[in-house]
């Protein structure tokens, strides 16, 4: 399941690196999402997602666990890819 989270998070993570982001708006928006996801403690995020899914009457199962896992892993993948992208250098519209 972690591999699936990485596959889903990787394209979003590339948008957080200034040299791989298509423009500064996308770069800044991705960084804001990253900051928001990192600032929420894990247990609060889990409870919030549980409330969200049950409020929308979405059955709890593999799909909701996958969505939750991707939401949890996204900031960590994003940080790693953004740092690697910055270190790689190159031009880009994000910075």
């Amino acid at each position: 399941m972690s591999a699936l989270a990485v596959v889903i998070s990787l394209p979003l993570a590339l948008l957080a690196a200034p040299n791989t982001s298509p423009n500064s708006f996308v770069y800044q928006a991705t960084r804001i999402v990253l900051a928001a996801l990192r600032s929420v403690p894990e247990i609060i995020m889990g409870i919030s997602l549980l409330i969200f899914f049950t409020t929308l009457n979405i059955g709890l199962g593999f799909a909701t666990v996958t969505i939750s896992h991707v939401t949890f892993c996204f900031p960590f993948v994003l940080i790693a890819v953004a740092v690697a992208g910055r270190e790689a250098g190159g031009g880009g519209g994000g910075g």
Side-chain angles (χ1 to χ4, degrees), residues 16 18-19 22 32 41 43 50 56-57 61-62 64-65 67 72 86 91 93 95:
N19 58 339
I32 289 170
I43 190 71
L50 177 63
L56 295 179
N57 293 322
F62 183 75
T64 54
V65 169
I67 292 168
F72 176 76
R86 260 193 223 131

Side-chain angles (χ1 to χ4, degrees), residues 49-75:
L49 287 168
L50 177 63
I51 292 169
F52 176 74
F53 292 136
T54 55
T55 301
L56 295 179
N57 293 322
I58 298 173
L60 303 178
F62 183 75
T64 54
V65 169
T66 302
I67 292 168
S68 301
H69 189 68
V70 168
T71 304
F72 176 76
C73 292
F74 171 66

